[in-house]
Amino acid sequence: MASLEELLEGSLATAGPAIKATFGVQERTLSATEFREFWRDHRMFAVATAAKDGAPHIAPVHVLLTDDDQLEMAIFENSVRLRDLRRDPRIAITTWTDDGRIAIVYGRCSEVEGSRRELPNRGALDGPSRFVLTMRIAIDRLYAMNPRRGQT
């Protein structure tokens, strides 16, 4: 597995012109350490998958960056996203702040064996218990920046 620093540098090296123009300004790019801090300061992320016909599905999901720089997320076992990911493991994730910091991750998901667990029914939804399982996300590409850094 490539390190976060290698992913940040390698992703920019192969990016198209629009991404390079946006994320490739050296004074604005986040280091691996800054990316870790930024990601861990967030609770929710926009997660996108694709339906069988290519239609997008997007939802707010908590995506954890583990201590060994792996991404993991809990996903409802009856969700459209899980159905999408079982058919096509590709995923896109983004988050941002009001001050303009942003990160975009592209990757591939795999289910963590034995991770299915029941969530307590908190009374908001009537009906049976809900179950989630954990998905691990192997990062293919990673872009992150702070556009206000380096401004005078």
Side-chain angles (χ1 to χ4, degrees):
M1 180 184 96
S3 71
L4 287 179
E5 202 68 56
E6 291 168 328
L7 281 163
L8 285 161
E9 292 173 13
S11 297
L12 276 175
T14 60
I19 290 289
K20 281 183 181 177
T22 303
F23 289 88
V25 178
Q26 188 171 359
E27 302 83 45
R28 301 186 321 191
T29 59
L30 296 184
S31 68
T33 299
E34 292 168 323
F35 171 80
R36 285 182 195 98
E37 291 170 5
F38 172 74
W39 197 271
R40 289 179 176 144
D41 282 346
H42 286 77
R43 170 111 177 103
M44 300 305 286
F45 300 81
V47 171
T49 59
K52 188 175 184 178
D53 66 359
H57 290 138
I58 191 165
V61 177
H62 178 70
V63 181
L64 173 72
L65 178 65
T66 66
D67 289 340
D68 60 350
D69 290 335
Q70 297 289 305
L71 293 178
E72 292 184 350
M73 68 178 177
I75 191 166
F76 288 110
E77 72 176 350
N78 63 347
S79 71
V80 170
R81 269 147 307 290
L82 182 58
R83 185 175 62 229
D84 290 347
L85 291 168
R86 283 180 169 160
R87 183 189 39 74
D88 180 349
R90 295 176 295 171
I91 192 168
I93 306 165
T94 190
T95 193
W96 56 91
T97 60
D98 289 342
D99 68 2
R101 289 176 294 153
I102 187 168
I104 300 172
V105 172
Y106 295 92
R108 294 179 181 274
C109 289
S110 60
E111 293 181 37
V112 174
E113 190 174 327
S115 66
R116 182 179 185 261
R117 65 190 184 281
E118 184 176 1
L119 292 181
N121 188 337
R122 300 195 178 182
L125 300 173
D126 291 331
S129 297
R130 299 178 77 186
F131 291 85
V132 296
L133 54 91
T134 301
M135 300 293 282
R136 187 159 293 129
I137 303 155
I139 301 170
D140 294 330
R141 290 179 288 147
L142 168 60
Y143 308 102
M145 70 168 185
N146 180 355
R148 293 186 183 206
R149 189 171 61 204
Q151 290 183 351
T152 55

